[in-house]
Amino acid sequence: MNLINRTYYLNRIDKYLGQERIIVLTGQRRVGKSSILKTFKTSKENIVSSNIIYIDKEDRTFDKIKTYTDLNTYIDSKISRNKHNYILIDEVQDIQEFERSLRSFIKEENTDIIITGSNSKLLSSELTTLIGGRYKEIYIQALTYLEFLQFHNLQDSDESLTHYINFGGLPGIIKIGLDEHDAYEYQTDVYSTVLLKDIISRNNIRNTAFLENLLKFLADNTGKIISATSISKYMKSQDTSVTSVLVLNYIRMLCESYLLHKINRYDIHGKRLFESNDKYYFEDIGIRNAIACGTRDEDIEKILENIVYNHLIHLGYEVTVGQLRAGEIDFVCTKSNEGTKYVQVAYIIANEDTRMREFGNLATIKDSHPKYVISMTPLVSRTDNNGIIHLNIRQFLKNGLE
């Protein structure tokens, strides 16, 4: 299968080359980090002045590279003093003390290092300790809607959006096609791999049944404010006794694997972050659907909210949940060059009660920051409702908040 360029990420990589900084591609397994690395490799291979040193730790060819000394030996045998060296390492966290090698080779002239990894704690803690600020993290997400159209050779339409809502954005689905049964099997396999390699094995978890039940609970309650205490009470109702501390530890591990993302609450009136009771969204909506095992029509508002959150992150916003005295705003979005924006997500604005609920909370915010409602309401592209912009979700996924 030919690799499809994800130019957004390739351009970001190019931006940081030649700065004596390690470029770290992070993200959940199977979101496309390896393919992006291979695409970059292909783009440099035909340049005479380039020397590619490529290591894929999921390929048995490289099984002998287990520690940083093995890595040193391998790179030393491949490095060229007369060319520009690109050291590319896929799933670097599988090499013990890899950061010791990287710290040494990044000092070499005419050398760029690009690595991928699937555990945020491991990468951030070890690189920060030994390398300080000499690395740049590029977070790789599952496919956006436009990338999904490109990968599956689809035209923008309501039907294509329905496919995106159902199947999510794992690039590997292109190999099996948009068949619900086959996609479900693939998503379940990816989910199981993440659990085993990045959570259970790495953290020596024994209570795997609770971990899976916790994920099911979080999938069923995507986008709802959740406390560790409420989860603990729910598990007790299922005849499983767990402490709030254990719940928080397991959720932290899920977030470190990039399977799940935590979003804090922000007091819009008080201009401060709350320290408890957060919301959680999934990296890939297809995996979320596979875990929840429900029909999409029952979960559509949760799914749309998750999709909007992921795309806001792709657009470069820092995102929190907005807390009002008498309600909630789904997302408070900030970007250094744009300031603050408020976003509310709805399924369909079908009557006046729904309109008052979705637009009313935004109307109570008395500052001048832009305000948006994003929905699937038919025939709506972009309208202005007393200063609040109503966007169709397809329009948002194609053009952002513009």
Side-chain angles (χ1 to χ4, degrees), residues 4 70 94 110 129 141 149 179 239 242 246 295 336 357 373:
I4 298 175
D70 301 329
D94 293 336
N110 300 319
T129 300
Q141 294 179 273
L149 297 180
D179 176 87
D239 297 323
V242 293
L246 183 64
T295 58
S336 59
R357 182 177 70 246
V373 172

Side-chain angles (χ1 to χ4, degrees), residues 98-116:
F98 64 87
E99 67 281 1
R100 294 183 179 275
S101 286
L102 303 188
R103 180 179 61 173
S104 173
F105 285 108
I106 196 60
K107 296 177 183 178
E108 297 280 347
E109 290 186 3
N110 300 319
T111 298
D112 279 296
I113 300 175
I114 307 173
I115 61 176
T116 78

Side-chain angles (χ1 to χ4, degrees), residues 207-327:
N207 195 350
T208 57
F210 166 62
L211 180 64
E212 294 190 47
N213 285 335
L214 173 61
L215 265 169
K216 179 70 164 60
F217 176 88
L218 293 169
D220 287 339
N221 290 277
T222 301
K224 292 184 179 180
I225 292 175
I226 291 173
S227 70
T229 302
S230 67
I231 297 174
S232 182
K233 288 180 179 178
Y234 167 78
M235 296 308 296
K236 285 180 181 177
S237 73
Q238 303 297 307
D239 297 323
T240 303
S241 181
V242 293
T243 66
S244 297
V245 172
L246 183 64
V247 170
L248 290 174
N249 282 336
Y250 277 27
I251 288 178
R252 172 182 53 78
M253 295 170 194
L254 291 168
C255 292
E256 287 171 356
S257 72
Y258 301 100
L259 188 66
L260 200 68
H261 299 289
K262 181 177 82 169
I263 177 170
N264 301 115
R265 289 187 302 145
Y266 177 75
D267 182 352
I268 292 175
H269 297 304
K271 307 299 182 186
R272 63 187 177 87
L273 283 173
F274 289 99
E275 296 181 354
S276 61
N277 299 353
D278 306 301
K279 284 188 174 186
Y280 297 91
Y281 296 98
F282 283 78
E283 168 59 37
D284 176 65
I285 200 64
I287 286 183
R288 180 262 161 210
N289 294 342
I291 295 171
C293 293
T295 58
R296 302 296 84 77
D297 57 340
E298 295 173 345
D299 294 343
I300 187 63
E301 291 197 2
K302 305 173 190 176
I303 293 170
L304 293 182
E305 199 172 309
N306 203 139
I307 288 172
V308 170
Y309 167 77
N310 286 343
H311 198 62
L312 287 168
I313 295 299
H314 175 78
L315 294 173
Y317 291 102
E318 292 185 16
V319 181
T320 54
V321 176
Q323 188 68 46
L324 299 166
R325 293 188 181 94

Side-chain angles (χ1 to χ4, degrees), residues 46-77:
N46 294 326
I47 300 174
V48 176
S49 59
S50 297
N51 179 49
I52 309 294
I53 303 170
Y54 176 73
I55 298 167
D56 178 2
K57 278 302 293 172
E58 292 197 331
D59 184 336
R60 65 179 183 275
T61 305
F62 301 99
D63 279 350
K64 291 182 180 179
I65 304 177
K66 299 181 182 299
T67 69
Y68 79 97
T69 55
D70 301 329
L71 183 58
N72 286 343
T73 301
Y74 183 82
I75 294 175
D76 281 332
S77 71

